[in-house]
Amino acid sequence: MEVGHCQKSAPTPTPLPPDKRLGYAVVGLGHLALEEVLPALSNCKKSRLVALVSGSPEKMKKVALQYGISSENCYTYQTFDQLKNNASVNIIYIILPNGLHKEYVIKGAKAGKHILCEKPMANTVEECREMIAACKQAQVKLMVAYRIQFQPHNRKLREYIQQKTFGIPKYIEACNAQSTANVNHWRHNKALAGGGALPDIGLYCLNTTRFILDMEPTEVFAYQYSTPGNPLFKEVEELVSWQMRFPSGIIANCATDYDVHESRRYRVNCQKGWMNLDKAYAYKGQKLTTARAEGTLELQQEVEIAENNQFGAEMDHFSDCILNNRRPFTPGEEGLQDHIIMEAIYLSAKLGKPVQIPPADAAKWRGPEPKIS
Amino acid sequence: MEVGHCQKSAPTPTPLPPDKRLGYAVVGLGHLALEEVLPALSNCKKSRLVALVSGSPEKMKKVALQYGISSENCYTYQTFDQLKNNASVNIIYIILPNGLHKEYVIKGAKAGKHILCEKPMANTVEECREMIAACKQAQVKLMVAYRIQFQPHNRKLREYIQQKTFGIPKYIEACNAQSTANVNHWRHNKALAGGGALPDIGLYCLNTTRFILDMEPTEVFAYQYSTPGNPLFKEVEELVSWQMRFPSGIIANCATDYDVHESRRYRVNCQKGWMNLDKAYAYKGQKLTTARAEGTLELQQEVEIAENNQFGAEMDHFSDCILNNRRPFTPGEEGLQDHIIMEAIYLSAKLGKPVQIPPADAAKWRGPEPKIS
Amino acid sequence: MEVGHCQKSAPTPTPLPPDKRLGYAVVGLGHLALEEVLPALSNCKKSRLVALVSGSPEKMKKVALQYGISSENCYTYQTFDQLKNNASVNIIYIILPNGLHKEYVIKGAKAGKHILCEKPMANTVEECREMIAACKQAQVKLMVAYRIQFQPHNRKLREYIQQKTFGIPKYIEACNAQSTANVNHWRHNKALAGGGALPDIGLYCLNTTRFILDMEPTEVFAYQYSTPGNPLFKEVEELVSWQMRFPSGIIANCATDYDVHESRRYRVNCQKGWMNLDKAYAYKGQKLTTARAEGTLELQQEVEIAENNQFGAEMDHFSDCILNNRRPFTPGEEGLQDHIIMEAIYLSAKLGKPVQIPPADAAKWRGPEPKIS
Amino acid sequence: MEVGHCQKSAPTPTPLPPDKRLGYAVVGLGHLALEEVLPALSNCKKSRLVALVSGSPEKMKKVALQYGISSENCYTYQTFDQLKNNASVNIIYIILPNGLHKEYVIKGAKAGKHILCEKPMANTVEECREMIAACKQAQVKLMVAYRIQFQPHNRKLREYIQQKTFGIPKYIEACNAQSTANVNHWRHNKALAGGGALPDIGLYCLNTTRFILDMEPTEVFAYQYSTPGNPLFKEVEELVSWQMRFPSGIIANCATDYDVHESRRYRVNCQKGWMNLDKAYAYKGQKLTTARAEGTLELQQEVEIAENNQFGAEMDHFSDCILNNRRPFTPGEEGLQDHIIMEAIYLSAKLGKPVQIPPADAAKWRGPEPKIS
């Protein structure tokens, strides 16, 4: 028996008994669901998988067998509305193409279930508003799955900013880029995806910057570019590079691209030091580095923090909110605000001039800070 | 819905249906079981938790509830032998203090169950031989839980050696050290632990060096030291520093200490480059770096490899061996060989001179290479 | 005698005999001259210190003694014009506050000496044009001291771009920031400095991006900010953050700040990998890292390159141009182009909209590539 | 003019006027002299090159021209003794094959000049004793060129040990390896080199460990190995791997090899952290990393320290000792002690058992700590 490695571990996790955990219906069995969400549910403390929804009967049958879901807990999009009769389902997790979010969030709300919706929340600001209204009317909770806000390295960096550990931040450099290749994927279809690199991956730069600064931008200026002739970018854009101006004078320079080697990071440049987070938006592997001076020495510090499962953390947070009747930390309004800014970014790139963002205050929509183990 | 991060992912995992997975009885509910093994079982593809054995009824009750284990599948050390009547149990995983391994491995074998035994395998060479014999007689498989041999970074480094990517290795530097503080823990009790830093953590340097080199040492020389007056080291040693000589002329310099800041690494120095593995023996966070020259440039390369859950990997490997009736990659003889070398190390330190190791060939006891996703 | 470390060294340097090296008169004995330029001259191969010009007789006396410069080779700004009678002086190196560059470059040219001028070249585009014209008329060579263009890591990265080692670049993130504190320093005086962070340090982002891409931007958009009430920024700006658009569609996001912890780096994001240069603009300590994928592995590579002395390299390059009657790699027109772009950056920040840059082609003004050992 | 980079710089260096600097005669114009020592002298503050000694008239002529040394200041080994008549020569720096050190140190002492001798000091303990005696009798100072003891990163690490910044050290891992290829080089000739990897490069592990610990080992155990049939190792050894035991219980594991990719590092493992120095023994590029815990965080810190020129630092230190009539920090006895230990290492490898080292105390021979800028 091995006894090491214990000294810095978190307190022993104490999962709720299986029958006390809230039941999730997972809607959409794509890569994200199969490779991340379903395995994460197996190790959740307050959540468990109870139902599946898919348009592919064969795939669903296989997955159901693997995860021990009986056939009466398997639904198609035609039978989606019957979820309302399934008492074991507390939460519906929408993992569909962006263009379908609105329809199924509203349907789910009408079924009387709480809704966790993948990001981007929808295709347009208008859709977001409808979704929020529908959930409000149905008296169910709505949360957008901003997993980064439940990730320990990002949270630690935000804490450093709040505590002014490195003094006041002056500007931020953020980018989220990856290489895509499958022209038939729905992400290159404007109607289903709503846009290209910006809503899919650039959104992380936008949302995380707002999250760590606890501040809302007042103006954006953006360039947009797609390599001519590349069929991937026939409908949706390849590159968006934008600056955001914040009330305190901070500038954030952000970039996203669909034809660039994977690069998911940001750096916060402060008066007395900087913080850099590599793999900031990845599922794991975050690497937090900080720098500051001490006398004549320059100290560059790698801060090792135990990783968590971000999907598990956000699902358990939502279960916790429901169990305790609290607002989620990232409710629908959090997704709406990102769409307001993304529309301004697109408009700026189109007009070739800066675009203003209406004043907003996230404190008005956020629930209490999540406790992340 | 987010669609990135997919391009380099492993193929979609395909867990066996729950009722096809082999059933594990976990014996001993200490830190390792609670924080690593039980959560790992929740995500295994071919293994699942079906029974618990503990001397603490209260703790067991809580854990059973958390993991959905019914009370008839909970055993004490008094009722351990009744495991033989539990058809859902295929494998017994012994996670007890080292000094108790022999007794419960033999009991488990007599119950007709396959045995996975934590490392170090036992307290003495003699005990290891008895355990191997008992499992042979009972016609059950015996595997020692050398999780590092199922860890992707360590396996990749071994592959580099096999392929002579950096030429021939000349010497290895390995250390595994940590800071311990609890004088009441059984690891500081000679009868329960069998020794101090060497069998508990130094064993990793020894076993991993043999594993990556695919070679057995022929001679060792060792120093042993314990800080005088430190009550932690009243019964067991603090520091062992030893050299191992291999037939090809390679030397491995190893060190282990119970009163040193956590440091778990090794470096293989080869003719045309070196390979360094930080956090080599940790549960996760391995960082593989290599160096070589290219013309006038010196290239230092960090090789990112997707992590796995080592505990899950070794449990699923053992399940796979049983499902396919194959020898495990790390059977009892693998543990025996380490104990033969550890006894030589202790003897060298005691005599103040080198000690020979009898010739051995791991190919004779190892089963086929595991497939690690 | 130690014989290692040789295998990767550059060929043995072969300095010219002292009396064959070209003679430099160093004008201005501030930090840069005392700590960098004078020591660099001691190890130059084709250049040597022969004269000093300073407004501080005491300081000059001390420095002259230290460097073995006789009193007849020491000049004041009043006697500057007498340099024309000093046959040992081939080159005048202007290391004065920016606002004085024009006056002394023109005077030096009229004295019939070749001119090396520190960057930024001047305060305005108009001044640059006058300086170029004066040197042309006097038939002397004019070079701007862009030391980064003579620095091996930056040159290697440029080579990677030229060879498309990581595919086509899509966007660049660059920043050069530092913390300044002395409100009495001329750099905070608009008349002497011409501007704030932008011409002093932000210029590196601008010039180096143009250098590595071998391309000229066509449009800029900029934000400018100074913390209200900070006396350092009464006359000159603190922060400039700007985007530059290049003809190929590449976007460069640049930022510079005078009240931020030292951060001097850029990253080039390409289709098949990225290149990151830390300490890119520092005097030494450059760290070049690249990333790319190889099958399922992500390889992050630190490329170690022998450092040079950038000041020595640029002075020897200029001596070499004069000895061989060639255009310098960074002539006056190179400085002029940066000033054209900086004026557009300031204008954009003032107007709140993008500003176009007239087409330009550096190949028209650059001399042959320097050979950097 | 550029004004950044100044805030953390050392105070402005103040070289002595050239005619006040002490004059060095450099004996032997191999790689080390040409590529390191002569350039370093050009930037020394208290030392300067005044004479050359070489057996190759042509090479000497070229070098003399390059460095402005007149022909009357050029000597052959036949005219070496005439150095005594050259008043400009204060110090003779012996950079010859090891086997010639004794002869020329003694000749130099008899010429009444102070002696700086490259490491290893000689071929045997006996030779070292003769050299010390000769210098004593001639009343000249003798220093061994242990440049690492004048290197800032190594000195900082030693300071951390002295101040117990990371608690008490428990064991050290050190290695110095490189790849050699030229079978005709004198380093593979036993009579000229005295040994193989051990005295040439392994010596750094030995000397630096003693230096940073301020402690002398009491026992060594060593393995020695040379790849059979490799002509490089016909006379001298390839690999030595040894353990050193110190009075406090600390163990140092050291290894050196002549057929291994360059690796020059050590790590000090302490109770509360570790310190790692990469490129520890290289001419430049040292990288100091430390680790410690802070609450649940593991902090790994890279400590950036301004580099110096080690050769310049040791030459100026020796000049300083002479100008102030002080013992050098690394006198002949420092070299003698290393030879005593190296002879024990060779003996241990030959006998296959540990060898004791007589008690010693470096405080008895060291002069005051050098001031390193």
Side-chain angles (χ1 to χ4, degrees):
Chain A
M1 182 183 182
E2 175 178 12
V3 291
H5 311 278
C6 301
Q7 62 273 42
K8 285 162 204 163
S9 64
T12 307
T14 51
L16 288 180
D19 58 354
K20 297 282 172 66
R21 298 178 205 167
L22 294 198
Y24 272 77
V26 168
V27 182
L29 298 178
H31 269 290
L32 186 69
L34 295 183
E35 294 183 10
E36 304 295 334
V37 172
L38 297 188
L41 275 165
S42 299
N43 263 334
C44 275
K45 311 286 175 287
K46 301 177 177 173
S47 315
R48 63 179 179 137
L49 179 67
V50 296
L52 299 170
V53 180
S54 169
S56 159
E58 250 178 276
K59 191 200 277 185
M60 183 157 49
K61 192 171 173 186
K62 189 178 159 204
V63 173
L65 197 64
Q66 289 171 342
Y67 285 93
I69 303 300
S70 62
S71 60
E72 65 266 32
N73 288 321
C74 293
Y75 298 82
T76 65
Y77 296 108
Q78 285 68 45
T79 63
F80 182 94
D81 292 338
Q82 299 174 18
L83 279 166
K84 71 166 175 270
N85 304 318
N86 191 332
S88 71
V89 174
N90 306 98
I91 297 163
I92 295 176
Y93 188 173
I94 303 294
I95 320 183
L96 293 167
N98 313 334
L100 303 174
H101 284 185
K102 187 190 84 167
E103 177 183 350
Y104 285 92
V105 165
I106 294 176
K107 281 188 180 175
K110 287 185 176 162
K113 305 300 183 182
H114 302 287
I115 309 286
L116 180 58
C117 180
E118 258 307 312
K119 41 63 51 193
M121 186 172 169
N123 276 6
T124 65
V125 165
E126 186 46 37
E127 287 182 355
C128 295
R129 293 208 164 106
E130 291 179 50
M131 292 153 81
I132 293 170
C135 290
K136 193 174 178 185
Q137 181 162 10
Q139 290 182 293
V140 299
K141 294 186 193 297
L142 170 60
M143 171 168 150
V144 182
Y146 284 117
R147 57 185 170 78
I148 292 309
Q149 300 199 23
F150 302 88
Q151 201 284 326
H153 295 75
N154 286 278
R155 293 190 69 83
K156 181 72 186 173
L157 195 150
R158 178 168 173 257
E159 187 188 306
Y160 281 145
I161 292 177
Q162 289 172 342
Q163 301 180 345
K164 298 197 173 57
T165 308
F166 300 96
I168 291 171
K170 293 299 181 86
Y171 65 91
I172 290 177
E173 299 158 285
C175 79
N176 198 8
Q178 68 187 34
S179 195
T180 60
N182 181 0
V183 76
N184 295 318
H185 194 285
W186 63 257
R187 85 174 90 177
H188 297 288
N189 174 318
K190 178 86 185 256
L192 285 174
L198 179 61
D200 185 23
I201 54 173
L203 173 56
Y204 284 95
C205 304
L206 166 53
N207 184 262
T208 307
T209 298
R210 293 176 44 239
F211 166 62
I212 57 171
L213 290 180
D214 264 325
M215 223 185 281
E216 299 302 322
T218 55
E219 186 182 306
V220 296
F221 177 83
Y223 284 115
Q224 183 177 324
Y225 179 77
S226 298
T227 303
N230 188 330
L232 291 168
F233 309 122
K234 201 176 155 192
E235 299 197 5
V236 300
E237 84 281 358
E238 174 191 346
L239 160 71
V240 181
S241 169
W242 75 97
Q243 294 185 75
M244 292 192 284
R245 189 184 226 173
F246 288 83
S248 72
I250 295 176
I251 303 290
N253 288 340
C254 305
T256 188
D257 195 307
Y258 255 172
D259 188 21
V260 155
H261 181 74
E262 187 168 310
S263 189
R264 314 187 182 284
R265 25 156 259 114
Y266 62 90
R267 178 180 289 225
V268 184
N269 297 276
C270 304
Q271 285 180 299
K272 295 175 189 308
W274 49 253
M275 296 167 275
N276 187 86
L277 189 55
D278 274 324
K279 300 201 156 229
Y281 320 119
Y283 297 154
K284 54 184 175 181
Q286 280 75 12
K287 185 177 161 192
L288 174 57
T289 310
T290 65
R292 64 188 169 87
E294 193 178 275
T296 62
L297 301 177
E298 169 81 6
L299 302 180
Q300 200 162 312
Q301 191 160 276
E302 190 177 329
V303 183
E304 280 183 37
I305 303 173
E307 291 186 357
N308 68 351
N309 183 300
Q310 305 165 27
F311 296 96
E314 70 184 359
M315 289 189 282
D316 274 348
H317 169 73
F318 195 37
S319 294
D320 204 46
C321 288
I322 292 162
L323 287 166
N324 294 286
N325 193 24
R326 290 198 295 244
R327 286 182 69 78
F329 190 65
T330 56
E333 289 81 356
E334 176 73 2
L336 168 63
Q337 172 71 355
D338 281 339
H339 277 278
I340 289 170
I341 300 168
M342 287 195 289
E343 290 196 356
I345 289 171
Y346 278 132
L347 184 63
S348 169
K350 190 177 166 190
L351 300 179
K353 64 178 192 184
V355 170
Q356 309 297 313
I357 314 286
D361 178 3
K364 290 190 181 153
W365 61 70
R366 282 195 188 287
E369 290 282 328
K371 298 239 177 346
I372 302 302
S373 67
Chain B
M1 181 182 182
E2 174 176 15
V3 291
H5 310 278
C6 300
Q7 63 274 41
K8 284 161 203 163
S9 65
T12 307
T14 52
L16 289 179
D19 58 353
K20 296 284 172 64
R21 299 178 206 166
L22 295 198
Y24 272 75
V26 168
V27 183
L29 298 179
H31 270 291
L32 186 69
L34 294 183
E35 294 184 10
E36 303 296 333
V37 172
L38 297 188
L41 275 166
S42 299
N43 262 335
C44 274
K45 310 286 174 289
K46 300 178 175 174
S47 315
R48 62 177 180 138
L49 179 67
V50 296
L52 299 171
V53 181
S54 170
S56 160
E58 250 178 278
K59 190 199 280 184
M60 183 156 50
K61 192 171 172 186
K62 187 178 160 204
V63 173
L65 197 65
Q66 289 171 340
Y67 284 93
I69 303 299
S70 61
S71 59
E72 65 266 32
N73 287 322
C74 292
Y75 299 82
T76 65
Y77 296 108
Q78 286 68 46
T79 64
F80 181 95
D81 291 337
Q82 298 175 18
L83 279 166
K84 71 167 176 269
N85 303 319
N86 190 332
S88 72
V89 174
N90 306 100
I91 298 163
I92 296 176
Y93 188 173
I94 305 293
I95 320 183
L96 293 167
N98 313 333
L100 303 175
H101 284 185
K102 187 189 85 168
E103 178 183 348
Y104 284 93
V105 164
I106 293 176
K107 280 188 180 173
K110 286 187 176 159
K113 304 300 183 184
H114 303 287
I115 309 286
L116 179 59
C117 180
E118 258 306 313
K119 44 60 52 191
M121 187 173 169
N123 276 6
T124 66
V125 165
E126 186 48 36
E127 287 182 355
C128 294
R129 292 208 164 106
E130 289 179 52
M131 292 153 80
I132 292 169
C135 290
K136 193 174 177 185
Q137 183 164 5
Q139 291 182 291
V140 298
K141 293 185 195 296
L142 171 60
M143 172 168 149
V144 182
Y146 284 117
R147 58 186 169 78
I148 293 308
Q149 300 199 24
F150 303 88
Q151 199 287 324
H153 296 74
N154 285 278
R155 294 190 69 83
K156 181 72 186 175
L157 195 151
R158 178 170 174 255
E159 186 188 306
Y160 281 145
I161 292 178
Q162 288 172 343
Q163 300 180 344
K164 297 196 173 58
T165 307
F166 300 95
I168 292 170
K170 293 297 179 86
Y171 66 90
I172 290 176
E173 300 157 286
C175 79
N176 199 7
Q178 69 187 36
S179 196
T180 60
N182 179 0
V183 76
N184 296 317
H185 194 283
W186 62 258
R187 86 173 92 174
H188 296 288
N189 174 317
K190 178 85 187 256
L192 286 175
L198 180 60
D200 185 25
I201 54 172
L203 174 55
Y204 283 95
C205 303
L206 167 52
N207 183 262
T208 307
T209 299
R210 294 176 43 238
F211 165 63
I212 58 171
L213 290 179
D214 263 325
M215 223 185 283
E216 299 301 322
T218 56
E219 187 181 306
V220 295
F221 177 82
Y223 284 115
Q224 185 177 323
Y225 178 78
S226 298
T227 303
N230 188 330
L232 292 167
F233 309 123
K234 200 176 155 192
E235 298 197 7
V236 301
E237 84 281 357
E238 173 190 347
L239 161 70
V240 182
S241 168
W242 75 98
Q243 294 185 75
M244 293 192 283
R245 188 185 227 170
F246 288 84
S248 72
I250 296 175
I251 303 290
N253 289 339
C254 304
T256 188
D257 195 308
Y258 254 171
D259 187 22
V260 156
H261 182 73
E262 188 167 311
S263 187
R264 315 186 181 284
R265 23 156 260 116
Y266 61 91
R267 180 182 286 226
V268 184
N269 298 277
C270 304
Q271 286 181 298
K272 296 176 190 306
W274 50 253
M275 296 167 277
N276 187 85
L277 189 54
D278 275 325
K279 302 204 155 224
Y281 319 121
Y283 297 154
K284 53 185 176 179
Q286 280 74 13
K287 184 177 161 192
L288 175 57
T289 311
T290 65
R292 65 188 169 85
E294 193 178 275
T296 61
L297 301 177
E298 169 81 5
L299 302 180
Q300 200 162 311
Q301 191 159 278
E302 189 177 329
V303 183
E304 280 183 37
I305 304 172
E307 291 187 357
N308 67 352
N309 183 301
Q310 305 166 27
F311 296 95
E314 70 183 1
M315 288 189 282
D316 274 348
H317 169 74
F318 195 36
S319 295
D320 204 46
C321 289
I322 291 162
L323 287 166
N324 294 285
N325 194 24
R326 289 195 298 241
R327 288 183 67 78
F329 190 64
T330 57
E333 290 81 358
E334 177 75 0
L336 168 63
Q337 173 70 356
D338 281 339
H339 277 277
I340 290 170
I341 299 167
M342 287 195 289
E343 289 196 356
I345 288 169
Y346 278 133
L347 184 62
S348 168
K350 189 177 166 188
L351 301 178
K353 63 178 193 184
V355 169
Q356 308 298 312
I357 314 287
D361 178 3
K364 290 189 182 155
W365 62 71
R366 282 195 188 288
E369 291 282 331
K371 299 238 177 346
I372 301 302
S373 68
Chain C
M1 182 184 183
E2 175 177 14
V3 291
H5 311 277
C6 300
Q7 63 273 41
K8 284 161 204 163
S9 64
T12 306
T14 51
L16 288 179
D19 59 355
K20 297 282 172 65
R21 298 178 206 167
L22 295 197
Y24 271 77
V26 168
V27 182
L29 298 180
H31 269 291
L32 186 70
L34 294 183
E35 293 184 10
E36 302 297 333
V37 173
L38 297 187
L41 275 165
S42 299
N43 262 335
C44 274
K45 311 287 175 288
K46 300 177 176 174
S47 316
R48 62 177 180 139
L49 179 67
V50 296
L52 299 171
V53 181
S54 170
S56 160
E58 250 177 276
K59 190 200 278 187
M60 183 155 52
K61 194 172 173 185
K62 188 177 160 204
V63 173
L65 196 65
Q66 289 170 340
Y67 285 92
I69 303 299
S70 62
S71 59
E72 66 267 32
N73 287 321
C74 292
Y75 298 82
T76 64
Y77 296 108
Q78 286 68 46
T79 62
F80 181 94
D81 291 338
Q82 298 174 18
L83 279 167
K84 70 165 177 271
N85 303 319
N86 189 332
S88 73
V89 173
N90 306 101
I91 297 161
I92 295 176
Y93 189 173
I94 304 293
I95 320 183
L96 292 167
N98 312 335
L100 303 174
H101 283 185
K102 187 190 86 169
E103 176 183 352
Y104 285 92
V105 164
I106 292 175
K107 281 189 179 173
K110 287 186 175 160
K113 306 299 185 184
H114 302 288
I115 308 287
L116 181 59
C117 179
E118 258 307 313
K119 43 61 51 191
M121 187 173 169
N123 276 6
T124 65
V125 165
E126 186 46 39
E127 287 183 355
C128 294
R129 294 209 164 104
E130 290 179 50
M131 292 153 79
I132 292 169
C135 289
K136 193 174 178 185
Q137 182 163 8
Q139 291 182 294
V140 298
K141 294 184 195 299
L142 170 61
M143 171 167 149
V144 182
Y146 284 117
R147 58 187 170 76
I148 292 309
Q149 300 199 23
F150 302 87
Q151 201 285 325
H153 296 74
N154 285 278
R155 294 190 68 83
K156 181 72 186 175
L157 195 151
R158 179 170 174 256
E159 187 189 307
Y160 281 145
I161 293 177
Q162 289 172 342
Q163 300 180 346
K164 297 196 173 57
T165 307
F166 300 96
I168 292 171
K170 293 298 179 87
Y171 65 91
I172 291 176
E173 299 157 284
C175 79
N176 199 7
Q178 68 187 35
S179 195
T180 60
N182 180 0
V183 76
N184 296 316
H185 194 284
W186 63 257
R187 84 173 93 175
H188 297 288
N189 173 319
K190 177 87 186 255
L192 286 175
L198 179 61
D200 185 25
I201 55 173
L203 174 55
Y204 283 95
C205 303
L206 166 53
N207 185 262
T208 307
T209 298
R210 293 177 43 239
F211 165 63
I212 57 171
L213 289 180
D214 264 326
M215 224 184 281
E216 300 301 323
T218 56
E219 186 180 306
V220 295
F221 177 82
Y223 284 115
Q224 185 177 322
Y225 178 77
S226 298
T227 302
N230 187 331
L232 292 167
F233 310 122
K234 201 178 154 192
E235 298 199 5
V236 300
E237 85 281 358
E238 173 190 346
L239 160 71
V240 182
S241 168
W242 75 98
Q243 295 185 76
M244 293 192 283
R245 189 184 226 174
F246 288 84
S248 72
I250 296 175
I251 304 289
N253 288 340
C254 304
T256 187
D257 196 307
Y258 255 171
D259 188 21
V260 156
H261 182 72
E262 187 167 310
S263 187
R264 314 184 182 286
R265 27 158 257 114
Y266 61 92
R267 180 182 287 226
V268 184
N269 297 277
C270 305
Q271 285 181 298
K272 295 174 190 308
W274 50 254
M275 296 168 276
N276 187 85
L277 189 54
D278 274 324
K279 301 203 154 225
Y281 320 119
Y283 297 154
K284 54 186 175 181
Q286 279 76 12
K287 185 176 161 192
L288 175 57
T289 310
T290 65
R292 64 189 170 85
E294 194 178 274
T296 61
L297 301 176
E298 169 82 5
L299 302 179
Q300 200 162 313
Q301 190 160 276
E302 190 179 329
V303 183
E304 280 183 36
I305 304 173
E307 290 186 357
N308 68 351
N309 183 300
Q310 304 166 27
F311 296 96
E314 70 183 0
M315 289 188 282
D316 274 349
H317 169 74
F318 195 36
S319 294
D320 204 46
C321 289
I322 292 163
L323 287 167
N324 294 285
N325 194 24
R326 289 196 297 244
R327 287 182 69 76
F329 189 66
T330 57
E333 289 81 356
E334 177 74 0
L336 168 62
Q337 173 70 356
D338 281 339
H339 277 278
I340 289 170
I341 300 166
M342 287 193 290
E343 290 196 356
I345 289 170
Y346 279 132
L347 184 62
S348 167
K350 190 177 166 189
L351 300 179
K353 63 178 193 182
V355 170
Q356 308 298 313
I357 314 287
D361 178 2
K364 289 191 181 151
W365 61 72
R366 282 195 187 289
E369 291 281 330
K371 298 235 177 351
I372 301 303
S373 67
Chain D
M1 180 184 185
E2 174 176 16
V3 291
H5 310 279
C6 298
Q7 63 274 43
K8 286 162 204 161
S9 65
T12 307
T14 51
L16 288 180
D19 59 353
K20 295 283 171 65
R21 298 177 206 167
L22 295 198
Y24 272 76
V26 167
V27 182
L29 298 179
H31 269 291
L32 186 70
L34 295 182
E35 293 183 11
E36 303 296 334
V37 173
L38 297 187
L41 274 165
S42 301
N43 263 335
C44 274
K45 310 287 175 286
K46 300 178 176 175
S47 316
R48 64 180 179 135
L49 179 68
V50 297
L52 299 170
V53 181
S54 170
S56 161
E58 249 178 278
K59 191 200 278 183
M60 183 156 51
K61 193 172 173 184
K62 189 179 160 204
V63 173
L65 196 64
Q66 288 171 341
Y67 285 93
I69 303 300
S70 63
S71 60
E72 66 266 32
N73 286 323
C74 291
Y75 299 82
T76 66
Y77 295 108
Q78 285 69 46
T79 63
F80 181 95
D81 291 338
Q82 297 175 18
L83 279 167
K84 70 165 176 273
N85 303 319
N86 189 332
S88 73
V89 174
N90 305 99
I91 297 162
I92 295 176
Y93 188 174
I94 303 294
I95 319 182
L96 292 167
N98 313 334
L100 303 174
H101 284 185
K102 187 190 84 168
E103 179 182 349
Y104 284 92
V105 164
I106 293 176
K107 279 188 178 174
K110 286 187 175 160
K113 305 299 185 184
H114 302 287
I115 308 288
L116 179 59
C117 180
E118 258 307 313
K119 45 60 48 191
M121 186 174 171
N123 275 6
T124 66
V125 165
E126 186 46 38
E127 287 183 356
C128 295
R129 293 210 164 105
E130 290 180 52
M131 292 154 79
I132 293 169
C135 290
K136 193 174 179 185
Q137 183 163 7
Q139 291 181 292
V140 298
K141 293 185 194 299
L142 171 60
M143 172 168 149
V144 182
Y146 284 117
R147 58 185 169 79
I148 293 309
Q149 300 198 22
F150 303 88
Q151 200 285 325
H153 296 74
N154 285 279
R155 294 190 69 82
K156 181 70 186 173
L157 194 151
R158 179 170 173 256
E159 187 188 307
Y160 281 145
I161 293 178
Q162 288 172 343
Q163 300 179 345
K164 297 197 173 58
T165 308
F166 300 96
I168 292 171
K170 292 299 180 87
Y171 64 91
I172 291 176
E173 300 157 284
C175 79
N176 198 7
Q178 68 187 35
S179 196
T180 60
N182 179 0
V183 76
N184 295 317
H185 194 284
W186 64 258
R187 86 173 91 175
H188 296 289
N189 174 318
K190 176 87 184 257
L192 286 174
L198 180 60
D200 185 25
I201 54 172
L203 174 55
Y204 283 95
C205 303
L206 168 52
N207 184 262
T208 307
T209 298
R210 293 177 42 238
F211 165 63
I212 57 170
L213 289 180
D214 264 325
M215 223 185 283
E216 299 301 324
T218 56
E219 187 181 306
V220 296
F221 177 81
Y223 285 116
Q224 184 178 323
Y225 178 77
S226 298
T227 302
N230 187 331
L232 293 167
F233 309 122
K234 199 175 156 193
E235 298 197 7
V236 301
E237 85 281 356
E238 174 190 345
L239 160 70
V240 182
S241 168
W242 75 98
Q243 294 184 76
M244 294 192 283
R245 189 185 226 172
F246 288 83
S248 71
I250 296 176
I251 304 290
N253 288 340
C254 304
T256 187
D257 195 306
Y258 255 173
D259 187 22
V260 156
H261 182 73
E262 189 167 309
S263 188
R264 316 186 182 284
R265 25 156 258 116
Y266 62 92
R267 180 183 287 227
V268 184
N269 297 277
C270 304
Q271 286 180 299
K272 296 176 190 307
W274 50 253
M275 296 167 275
N276 187 85
L277 189 54
D278 275 324
K279 300 204 156 226
Y281 320 120
Y283 297 154
K284 55 185 175 180
Q286 279 75 11
K287 185 178 162 193
L288 175 57
T289 311
T290 65
R292 65 189 169 85
E294 194 177 273
T296 62
L297 301 176
E298 169 81 6
L299 302 180
Q300 199 162 311
Q301 191 160 276
E302 190 177 328
V303 183
E304 280 184 36
I305 304 173
E307 291 187 357
N308 68 352
N309 184 300
Q310 305 166 27
F311 295 97
E314 71 182 0
M315 290 189 282
D316 275 348
H317 169 74
F318 196 35
S319 294
D320 203 46
C321 289
I322 291 163
L323 288 166
N324 293 287
N325 195 24
R326 290 196 296 243
R327 288 182 69 77
F329 190 65
T330 58
E333 290 80 358
E334 177 75 1
L336 169 62
Q337 174 70 356
D338 281 339
H339 277 278
I340 289 170
I341 300 167
M342 287 195 289
E343 289 195 357
I345 289 170
Y346 278 133
L347 185 63
S348 168
K350 190 176 165 190
L351 300 179
K353 63 178 193 185
V355 170
Q356 309 298 313
I357 314 286
D361 179 2
K364 291 193 180 152
W365 62 70
R366 283 195 188 288
E369 291 282 330
K371 299 240 176 349
I372 301 301
S373 67

